PDB file of all heavy atoms in Angstrom:
ATOM      1  N   PRO A   1     169.821  43.605 -51.463  1.00  0.00           N
ATOM      2  CA  PRO A   1     169.399  44.860 -52.074  1.00  0.00           C
ATOM      3  C   PRO A   1     170.478  45.680 -52.680  1.00  0.00           C
ATOM      4  O   PRO A   1     170.280  46.477 -53.605  1.00  0.00           O
ATOM      5  CB  PRO A   1     168.674  45.604 -50.999  1.00  0.00           C
ATOM      6  CG  PRO A   1     169.028  44.913 -49.717  1.00  0.00           C
ATOM      7  CD  PRO A   1     169.530  43.576 -50.013  1.00  0.00           C
ATOM      8  N   SER A   2     171.726  45.418 -52.282  1.00  0.00           N
ATOM      9  CA  SER A   2     172.860  46.230 -52.792  1.00  0.00           C
ATOM     10  C   SER A   2     173.146  45.886 -54.293  1.00  0.00           C
ATOM     11  O   SER A   2     173.946  46.478 -54.968  1.00  0.00           O
ATOM     12  CB  SER A   2     174.093  46.019 -52.002  1.00  0.00           C
ATOM     13  OG  SER A   2     174.594  44.701 -52.068  1.00  0.00           O
ATOM     14  N   LEU A   3     172.512  44.742 -54.725  1.00  0.00           N
ATOM     15  CA  LEU A   3     172.677  44.341 -56.114  1.00  0.00           C
ATOM     16  C   LEU A   3     171.776  45.128 -57.085  1.00  0.00           C
ATOM     17  O   LEU A   3     171.897  44.981 -58.278  1.00  0.00           O
ATOM     18  CB  LEU A   3     172.413  42.808 -56.260  1.00  0.00           C
ATOM     19  CG  LEU A   3     173.329  41.952 -55.499  1.00  0.00           C
ATOM     20  CD1 LEU A   3     172.930  40.436 -55.594  1.00  0.00           C
ATOM     21  CD2 LEU A   3     174.760  42.146 -55.901  1.00  0.00           C
ATOM     22  N   ILE A   4     170.867  45.909 -56.563  1.00  0.00           N
ATOM     23  CA  ILE A   4     170.014  46.753 -57.373  1.00  0.00           C
ATOM     24  C   ILE A   4     170.861  47.815 -58.091  1.00  0.00           C
ATOM     25  O   ILE A   4     171.571  48.567 -57.438  1.00  0.00           O
ATOM     26  CB  ILE A   4     168.873  47.387 -56.559  1.00  0.00           C
ATOM     27  CG1 ILE A   4     167.963  46.339 -55.943  1.00  0.00           C
ATOM     28  CG2 ILE A   4     168.059  48.366 -57.460  1.00  0.00           C
ATOM     29  CD1 ILE A   4     166.938  46.902 -54.984  1.00  0.00           C
ATOM     30  N   PRO A   5     170.804  47.884 -59.402  1.00  0.00           N
ATOM     31  CA  PRO A   5     171.603  48.817 -60.116  1.00  0.00           C
ATOM     32  C   PRO A   5     171.292  50.313 -59.702  1.00  0.00           C
ATOM     33  O   PRO A   5     170.160  50.694 -59.482  1.00  0.00           O
ATOM     34  CB  PRO A   5     171.214  48.653 -61.588  1.00  0.00           C
ATOM     35  CG  PRO A   5     170.589  47.294 -61.694  1.00  0.00           C
ATOM     36  CD  PRO A   5     170.009  47.052 -60.354  1.00  0.00           C
ATOM     37  N   ASN A   6     172.338  51.098 -59.529  1.00  0.00           N
ATOM     38  CA  ASN A   6     172.309  52.504 -59.207  1.00  0.00           C
ATOM     39  C   ASN A   6     171.682  52.741 -57.834  1.00  0.00           C
ATOM     40  O   ASN A   6     171.225  53.918 -57.551  1.00  0.00           O
ATOM     41  CB  ASN A   6     171.525  53.308 -60.238  1.00  0.00           C
ATOM     42  CG  ASN A   6     172.205  53.174 -61.603  1.00  0.00           C
ATOM     43  OD1 ASN A   6     173.393  53.339 -61.692  1.00  0.00           O
ATOM     44  ND2 ASN A   6     171.459  52.843 -62.621  1.00  0.00           N
ATOM     45  N   LEU A   7     171.578  51.812 -56.954  1.00  0.00           N
ATOM     46  CA  LEU A   7     171.009  52.015 -55.603  1.00  0.00           C
ATOM     47  C   LEU A   7     171.705  53.130 -54.798  1.00  0.00           C
ATOM     48  O   LEU A   7     171.036  53.964 -54.239  1.00  0.00           O
ATOM     49  CB  LEU A   7     170.963  50.677 -54.827  1.00  0.00           C
ATOM     50  CG  LEU A   7     170.228  50.805 -53.547  1.00  0.00           C
ATOM     51  CD1 LEU A   7     168.755  51.113 -53.701  1.00  0.00           C
ATOM     52  CD2 LEU A   7     170.441  49.553 -52.702  1.00  0.00           C
ATOM     53  N   PRO A   8     173.089  53.143 -54.753  1.00  0.00           N
ATOM     54  CA  PRO A   8     173.692  54.151 -54.011  1.00  0.00           C
ATOM     55  C   PRO A   8     173.430  55.557 -54.552  1.00  0.00           C
ATOM     56  O   PRO A   8     173.144  56.529 -53.704  1.00  0.00           O
ATOM     57  CB  PRO A   8     175.232  53.885 -54.171  1.00  0.00           C
ATOM     58  CG  PRO A   8     175.328  52.431 -54.542  1.00  0.00           C
ATOM     59  CD  PRO A   8     174.007  52.148 -55.320  1.00  0.00           C
ATOM     60  N   GLN A   9     173.289  55.767 -55.821  1.00  0.00           N
ATOM     61  CA  GLN A   9     172.938  57.052 -56.393  1.00  0.00           C
ATOM     62  C   GLN A   9     171.475  57.393 -56.022  1.00  0.00           C
ATOM     63  O   GLN A   9     171.229  58.575 -55.699  1.00  0.00           O
ATOM     64  CB  GLN A   9     173.082  57.074 -57.909  1.00  0.00           C
ATOM     65  CG  GLN A   9     174.538  56.908 -58.319  1.00  0.00           C
ATOM     66  CD  GLN A   9     174.914  55.453 -58.574  1.00  0.00           C
ATOM     67  OE1 GLN A   9     174.382  54.527 -57.993  1.00  0.00           O
ATOM     68  NE2 GLN A   9     175.910  55.249 -59.412  1.00  0.00           N
ATOM     69  N   ALA A  10     170.615  56.467 -56.043  1.00  0.00           N
ATOM     70  CA  ALA A  10     169.170  56.763 -55.724  1.00  0.00           C
ATOM     71  C   ALA A  10     169.072  57.127 -54.220  1.00  0.00           C
ATOM     72  O   ALA A  10     168.386  58.071 -53.874  1.00  0.00           O
ATOM     73  CB  ALA A  10     168.329  55.560 -56.067  1.00  0.00           C
ATOM     74  N   ALA A  11     169.785  56.366 -53.354  1.00  0.00           N
ATOM     75  CA  ALA A  11     169.723  56.649 -51.962  1.00  0.00           C
ATOM     76  C   ALA A  11     170.311  58.100 -51.682  1.00  0.00           C
ATOM     77  O   ALA A  11     169.733  58.850 -50.832  1.00  0.00           O
ATOM     78  CB  ALA A  11     170.542  55.616 -51.204  1.00  0.00           C
ATOM     79  N   GLU A  12     171.357  58.452 -52.371  1.00  0.00           N
ATOM     80  CA  GLU A  12     171.943  59.741 -52.122  1.00  0.00           C
ATOM     81  C   GLU A  12     170.993  60.847 -52.598  1.00  0.00           C
ATOM     82  O   GLU A  12     170.847  61.853 -51.938  1.00  0.00           O
ATOM     83  CB  GLU A  12     173.289  59.843 -52.861  1.00  0.00           C
ATOM     84  CG  GLU A  12     173.851  61.281 -52.838  1.00  0.00           C
ATOM     85  CD  GLU A  12     174.039  61.880 -51.486  1.00  0.00           C
ATOM     86  OE1 GLU A  12     174.382  61.193 -50.507  1.00  0.00           O
ATOM     87  OE2 GLU A  12     173.782  63.069 -51.352  1.00  0.00           O
ATOM     88  N   ARG A  13     170.321  60.582 -53.757  1.00  0.00           N
ATOM     89  CA  ARG A  13     169.363  61.583 -54.235  1.00  0.00           C
ATOM     90  C   ARG A  13     168.217  61.758 -53.264  1.00  0.00           C
ATOM     91  O   ARG A  13     167.762  62.902 -53.015  1.00  0.00           O
ATOM     92  CB  ARG A  13     168.914  61.162 -55.588  1.00  0.00           C
ATOM     93  CG  ARG A  13     167.875  62.165 -56.230  1.00  0.00           C
ATOM     94  CD  ARG A  13     168.558  63.519 -56.410  1.00  0.00           C
ATOM     95  NE  ARG A  13     167.587  64.499 -56.852  1.00  0.00           N
ATOM     96  CZ  ARG A  13     166.965  65.392 -56.077  1.00  0.00           C
ATOM     97  NH1 ARG A  13     167.213  65.471 -54.787  1.00  0.00           N
ATOM     98  NH2 ARG A  13     166.102  66.252 -56.616  1.00  0.00           N
ATOM     99  N   ILE A  14     167.683  60.682 -52.741  1.00  0.00           N
ATOM    100  CA  ILE A  14     166.629  60.789 -51.797  1.00  0.00           C
ATOM    101  C   ILE A  14     167.064  61.522 -50.539  1.00  0.00           C
ATOM    102  O   ILE A  14     166.382  62.376 -49.968  1.00  0.00           O
ATOM    103  CB  ILE A  14     166.013  59.343 -51.455  1.00  0.00           C
ATOM    104  CG1 ILE A  14     165.338  58.805 -52.721  1.00  0.00           C
ATOM    105  CG2 ILE A  14     165.059  59.445 -50.299  1.00  0.00           C
ATOM    106  CD1 ILE A  14     164.983  57.311 -52.618  1.00  0.00           C
ATOM    107  N   ALA A  15     168.253  61.152 -50.015  1.00  0.00           N
ATOM    108  CA  ALA A  15     168.816  61.803 -48.800  1.00  0.00           C
ATOM    109  C   ALA A  15     168.988  63.293 -49.044  1.00  0.00           C
ATOM    110  O   ALA A  15     168.640  64.115 -48.154  1.00  0.00           O
ATOM    111  CB  ALA A  15     170.166  61.149 -48.461  1.00  0.00           C
ATOM    112  N   ARG A  16     169.456  63.685 -50.247  1.00  0.00           N
ATOM    113  CA  ARG A  16     169.576  65.112 -50.552  1.00  0.00           C
ATOM    114  C   ARG A  16     168.275  65.806 -50.584  1.00  0.00           C
ATOM    115  O   ARG A  16     168.142  66.921 -50.047  1.00  0.00           O
ATOM    116  CB  ARG A  16     170.325  65.265 -51.860  1.00  0.00           C
ATOM    117  CG  ARG A  16     170.678  66.681 -52.108  1.00  0.00           C
ATOM    118  CD  ARG A  16     171.638  66.910 -53.328  1.00  0.00           C
ATOM    119  NE  ARG A  16     170.888  66.637 -54.536  1.00  0.00           N
ATOM    120  CZ  ARG A  16     171.257  65.728 -55.470  1.00  0.00           C
ATOM    121  NH1 ARG A  16     172.394  65.056 -55.327  1.00  0.00           N
ATOM    122  NH2 ARG A  16     170.571  65.580 -56.567  1.00  0.00           N
ATOM    123  N   ALA A  17     167.196  65.182 -51.120  1.00  0.00           N
ATOM    124  CA  ALA A  17     165.909  65.802 -51.184  1.00  0.00           C
ATOM    125  C   ALA A  17     165.324  65.983 -49.790  1.00  0.00           C
ATOM    126  O   ALA A  17     164.717  67.027 -49.500  1.00  0.00           O
ATOM    127  CB  ALA A  17     164.945  64.891 -52.031  1.00  0.00           C
ATOM    128  N   ILE A  18     165.560  64.991 -48.968  1.00  0.00           N
ATOM    129  CA  ILE A  18     165.094  65.152 -47.551  1.00  0.00           C
ATOM    130  C   ILE A  18     165.847  66.260 -46.818  1.00  0.00           C
ATOM    131  O   ILE A  18     165.215  67.098 -46.171  1.00  0.00           O
ATOM    132  CB  ILE A  18     165.219  63.789 -46.732  1.00  0.00           C
ATOM    133  CG1 ILE A  18     164.278  62.763 -47.343  1.00  0.00           C
ATOM    134  CG2 ILE A  18     165.017  63.984 -45.312  1.00  0.00           C
ATOM    135  CD1 ILE A  18     164.518  61.292 -46.891  1.00  0.00           C
ATOM    136  N   ARG A  19     167.174  66.288 -47.045  1.00  0.00           N
ATOM    137  CA  ARG A  19     167.992  67.264 -46.369  1.00  0.00           C
ATOM    138  C   ARG A  19     167.620  68.690 -46.808  1.00  0.00           C
ATOM    139  O   ARG A  19     167.550  69.643 -46.053  1.00  0.00           O
ATOM    140  CB  ARG A  19     169.465  66.960 -46.701  1.00  0.00           C
ATOM    141  CG  ARG A  19     170.475  67.905 -46.005  1.00  0.00           C
ATOM    142  CD  ARG A  19     171.908  67.512 -46.348  1.00  0.00           C
ATOM    143  NE  ARG A  19     172.148  67.508 -47.761  1.00  0.00           N
ATOM    144  CZ  ARG A  19     172.474  66.478 -48.508  1.00  0.00           C
ATOM    145  NH1 ARG A  19     172.613  65.264 -47.896  1.00  0.00           N
ATOM    146  NH2 ARG A  19     172.715  66.553 -49.739  1.00  0.00           N
ATOM    147  N   ASP A  20     167.268  68.823 -48.194  1.00  0.00           N
ATOM    148  CA  ASP A  20     166.957  70.102 -48.736  1.00  0.00           C
ATOM    149  C   ASP A  20     165.508  70.443 -48.680  1.00  0.00           C
ATOM    150  O   ASP A  20     165.039  71.403 -49.269  1.00  0.00           O
ATOM    151  CB  ASP A  20     167.451  70.183 -50.181  1.00  0.00           C
ATOM    152  CG  ASP A  20     168.992  70.148 -50.237  1.00  0.00           C
ATOM    153  OD1 ASP A  20     169.670  70.295 -49.258  1.00  0.00           O
ATOM    154  OD2 ASP A  20     169.486  69.893 -51.397  1.00  0.00           O
ATOM    155  N   ARG A  21     164.749  69.521 -47.986  1.00  0.00           N
ATOM    156  CA  ARG A  21     163.283  69.718 -47.812  1.00  0.00           C
ATOM    157  C   ARG A  21     162.576  69.835 -49.133  1.00  0.00           C
ATOM    158  O   ARG A  21     161.634  70.651 -49.340  1.00  0.00           O
ATOM    159  CB  ARG A  21     162.997  70.926 -46.970  1.00  0.00           C
ATOM    160  CG  ARG A  21     163.432  70.775 -45.489  1.00  0.00           C
ATOM    161  CD  ARG A  21     162.989  71.900 -44.636  1.00  0.00           C
ATOM    162  NE  ARG A  21     163.247  71.662 -43.293  1.00  0.00           N
ATOM    163  CZ  ARG A  21     162.451  71.036 -42.462  1.00  0.00           C
ATOM    164  NH1 ARG A  21     161.296  70.543 -42.841  1.00  0.00           N
ATOM    165  NH2 ARG A  21     162.795  70.894 -41.192  1.00  0.00           N
ATOM    166  N   GLN A  22     163.031  69.055 -50.144  1.00  0.00           N
ATOM    167  CA  GLN A  22     162.322  69.030 -51.453  1.00  0.00           C
ATOM    168  C   GLN A  22     161.212  68.071 -51.413  1.00  0.00           C
ATOM    169  O   GLN A  22     161.203  67.075 -50.591  1.00  0.00           O
ATOM    170  CB  GLN A  22     163.309  68.590 -52.505  1.00  0.00           C
ATOM    171  CG  GLN A  22     164.489  69.558 -52.698  1.00  0.00           C
ATOM    172  CD  GLN A  22     165.501  69.012 -53.739  1.00  0.00           C
ATOM    173  OE1 GLN A  22     165.693  67.831 -53.890  1.00  0.00           O
ATOM    174  NE2 GLN A  22     166.169  69.918 -54.420  1.00  0.00           N
ATOM    175  N   LYS A  23     160.191  68.280 -52.264  1.00  0.00           N
ATOM    176  CA  LYS A  23     159.090  67.334 -52.324  1.00  0.00           C
ATOM    177  C   LYS A  23     159.561  66.088 -53.100  1.00  0.00           C
ATOM    178  O   LYS A  23     160.416  66.161 -53.996  1.00  0.00           O
ATOM    179  CB  LYS A  23     157.879  67.930 -53.091  1.00  0.00           C
ATOM    180  CG  LYS A  23     157.259  69.052 -52.284  1.00  0.00           C
ATOM    181  CD  LYS A  23     156.049  69.532 -52.986  1.00  0.00           C
ATOM    182  CE  LYS A  23     155.367  70.654 -52.159  1.00  0.00           C
ATOM    183  NZ  LYS A  23     154.210  71.190 -52.761  1.00  0.00           N
ATOM    184  N   ILE A  24     159.047  64.965 -52.705  1.00  0.00           N
ATOM    185  CA  ILE A  24     159.374  63.699 -53.317  1.00  0.00           C
ATOM    186  C   ILE A  24     158.098  62.998 -53.809  1.00  0.00           C
ATOM    187  O   ILE A  24     157.136  62.887 -53.093  1.00  0.00           O
ATOM    188  CB  ILE A  24     160.094  62.697 -52.343  1.00  0.00           C
ATOM    189  CG1 ILE A  24     161.381  63.294 -51.837  1.00  0.00           C
ATOM    190  CG2 ILE A  24     160.310  61.326 -52.979  1.00  0.00           C
ATOM    191  CD1 ILE A  24     162.045  62.538 -50.722  1.00  0.00           C
ATOM    192  N   VAL A  25     158.090  62.654 -55.087  1.00  0.00           N
ATOM    193  CA  VAL A  25     156.965  61.948 -55.634  1.00  0.00           C
ATOM    194  C   VAL A  25     157.344  60.488 -55.834  1.00  0.00           C
ATOM    195  O   VAL A  25     158.440  60.203 -56.344  1.00  0.00           O
ATOM    196  CB  VAL A  25     156.588  62.579 -57.017  1.00  0.00           C
ATOM    197  CG1 VAL A  25     155.458  61.770 -57.636  1.00  0.00           C
ATOM    198  CG2 VAL A  25     156.121  64.037 -56.841  1.00  0.00           C
ATOM    199  N   ILE A  26     156.419  59.634 -55.494  1.00  0.00           N
ATOM    200  CA  ILE A  26     156.728  58.156 -55.655  1.00  0.00           C
ATOM    201  C   ILE A  26     155.687  57.542 -56.642  1.00  0.00           C
ATOM    202  O   ILE A  26     154.518  57.684 -56.388  1.00  0.00           O
ATOM    203  CB  ILE A  26     156.689  57.455 -54.303  1.00  0.00           C
ATOM    204  CG1 ILE A  26     157.759  58.066 -53.397  1.00  0.00           C
ATOM    205  CG2 ILE A  26     156.828  55.973 -54.431  1.00  0.00           C
ATOM    206  CD1 ILE A  26     157.709  57.578 -51.967  1.00  0.00           C
ATOM    207  N   TYR A  27     156.189  56.915 -57.634  1.00  0.00           N
ATOM    208  CA  TYR A  27     155.311  56.282 -58.645  1.00  0.00           C
ATOM    209  C   TYR A  27     155.464  54.747 -58.389  1.00  0.00           C
ATOM    210  O   TYR A  27     156.546  54.283 -58.082  1.00  0.00           O
ATOM    211  CB  TYR A  27     155.764  56.585 -60.105  1.00  0.00           C
ATOM    212  CG  TYR A  27     155.551  58.008 -60.500  1.00  0.00           C
ATOM    213  CD1 TYR A  27     156.569  58.964 -60.285  1.00  0.00           C
ATOM    214  CD2 TYR A  27     154.315  58.398 -60.978  1.00  0.00           C
ATOM    215  CE1 TYR A  27     156.367  60.244 -60.646  1.00  0.00           C
ATOM    216  CE2 TYR A  27     154.084  59.732 -61.336  1.00  0.00           C
ATOM    217  CZ  TYR A  27     155.148  60.676 -61.170  1.00  0.00           C
ATOM    218  OH  TYR A  27     154.954  61.963 -61.567  1.00  0.00           O
ATOM    219  N   GLY A  28     154.358  54.014 -58.618  1.00  0.00           N
ATOM    220  CA  GLY A  28     154.373  52.576 -58.426  1.00  0.00           C
ATOM    221  C   GLY A  28     153.414  51.925 -59.366  1.00  0.00           C
ATOM    222  O   GLY A  28     152.548  52.536 -59.892  1.00  0.00           O
ATOM    223  N   ASP A  29     153.653  50.617 -59.567  1.00  0.00           N
ATOM    224  CA  ASP A  29     152.770  49.811 -60.341  1.00  0.00           C
ATOM    225  C   ASP A  29     151.449  49.610 -59.649  1.00  0.00           C
ATOM    226  O   ASP A  29     151.384  49.613 -58.450  1.00  0.00           O
ATOM    227  CB  ASP A  29     153.347  48.411 -60.600  1.00  0.00           C
ATOM    228  CG  ASP A  29     154.452  48.477 -61.591  1.00  0.00           C
ATOM    229  OD1 ASP A  29     154.554  49.380 -62.454  1.00  0.00           O
ATOM    230  OD2 ASP A  29     155.313  47.505 -61.586  1.00  0.00           O
ATOM    231  N   TYR A  30     150.452  49.476 -60.485  1.00  0.00           N
ATOM    232  CA  TYR A  30     149.055  49.214 -59.919  1.00  0.00           C
ATOM    233  C   TYR A  30     148.754  47.747 -59.857  1.00  0.00           C
ATOM    234  O   TYR A  30     147.954  47.219 -60.523  1.00  0.00           O
ATOM    235  CB  TYR A  30     148.012  49.992 -60.712  1.00  0.00           C
ATOM    236  CG  TYR A  30     146.744  50.061 -60.040  1.00  0.00           C
ATOM    237  CD1 TYR A  30     146.554  50.929 -58.972  1.00  0.00           C
ATOM    238  CD2 TYR A  30     145.635  49.359 -60.488  1.00  0.00           C
ATOM    239  CE1 TYR A  30     145.329  50.990 -58.334  1.00  0.00           C
ATOM    240  CE2 TYR A  30     144.384  49.391 -59.848  1.00  0.00           C
ATOM    241  CZ  TYR A  30     144.277  50.265 -58.760  1.00  0.00           C
ATOM    242  OH  TYR A  30     143.051  50.286 -58.105  1.00  0.00           O
ATOM    243  N   ASP A  31     149.649  46.957 -59.108  1.00  0.00           N
ATOM    244  CA  ASP A  31     149.388  45.562 -58.889  1.00  0.00           C
ATOM    245  C   ASP A  31     149.715  45.338 -57.404  1.00  0.00           C
ATOM    246  O   ASP A  31     150.060  46.239 -56.693  1.00  0.00           O
ATOM    247  CB  ASP A  31     150.202  44.718 -59.824  1.00  0.00           C
ATOM    248  CG  ASP A  31     151.728  44.926 -59.721  1.00  0.00           C
ATOM    249  OD1 ASP A  31     152.175  45.642 -58.800  1.00  0.00           O
ATOM    250  OD2 ASP A  31     152.432  44.466 -60.648  1.00  0.00           O
ATOM    251  N   VAL A  32     149.608  44.155 -56.960  1.00  0.00           N
ATOM    252  CA  VAL A  32     149.757  43.813 -55.533  1.00  0.00           C
ATOM    253  C   VAL A  32     151.038  44.247 -54.952  1.00  0.00           C
ATOM    254  O   VAL A  32     151.061  44.986 -53.969  1.00  0.00           O
ATOM    255  CB  VAL A  32     149.482  42.286 -55.257  1.00  0.00           C
ATOM    256  CG1 VAL A  32     149.763  41.949 -53.842  1.00  0.00           C
ATOM    257  CG2 VAL A  32     148.032  41.941 -55.635  1.00  0.00           C
ATOM    258  N   ASP A  33     152.153  43.887 -55.594  1.00  0.00           N
ATOM    259  CA  ASP A  33     153.445  44.241 -55.004  1.00  0.00           C
ATOM    260  C   ASP A  33     153.704  45.717 -55.266  1.00  0.00           C
ATOM    261  O   ASP A  33     154.392  46.323 -54.415  1.00  0.00           O
ATOM    262  CB  ASP A  33     154.583  43.340 -55.531  1.00  0.00           C
ATOM    263  CG  ASP A  33     154.704  43.334 -57.046  1.00  0.00           C
ATOM    264  OD1 ASP A  33     153.706  43.561 -57.707  1.00  0.00           O
ATOM    265  OD2 ASP A  33     155.806  43.103 -57.509  1.00  0.00           O
ATOM    266  N   GLY A  34     153.261  46.272 -56.380  1.00  0.00           N
ATOM    267  CA  GLY A  34     153.479  47.688 -56.648  1.00  0.00           C
ATOM    268  C   GLY A  34     152.770  48.591 -55.651  1.00  0.00           C
ATOM    269  O   GLY A  34     153.356  49.544 -55.146  1.00  0.00           O
TER     270      GLY A  34
END
């Protein structure tokens, strides 16, 4: 999974949102794996 582009930046942003008690919205594909 570390080969996913920009993963460290995304993880940091999610951690900051959790730390700052911000709302997080998750979008996904409407298929089986999504």
Side-chain angles (χ1 to χ4, degrees):
S2 69
L3 299 175
I4 298 172
N6 302 313
L7 185 67
Q9 294 91 334
E12 173 53 38
R13 179 62 186 100
I14 292 169
R16 188 171 70 235
I18 292 169
R19 185 178 56 244
D20 296 345
R21 296 184 170 274
Q22 296 174 331
K23 291 183 179 181
I24 298 173
V25 176
I26 298 173
Y27 292 93
D29 285 338
Y30 194 71
D31 56 14
V32 173
D33 59 332

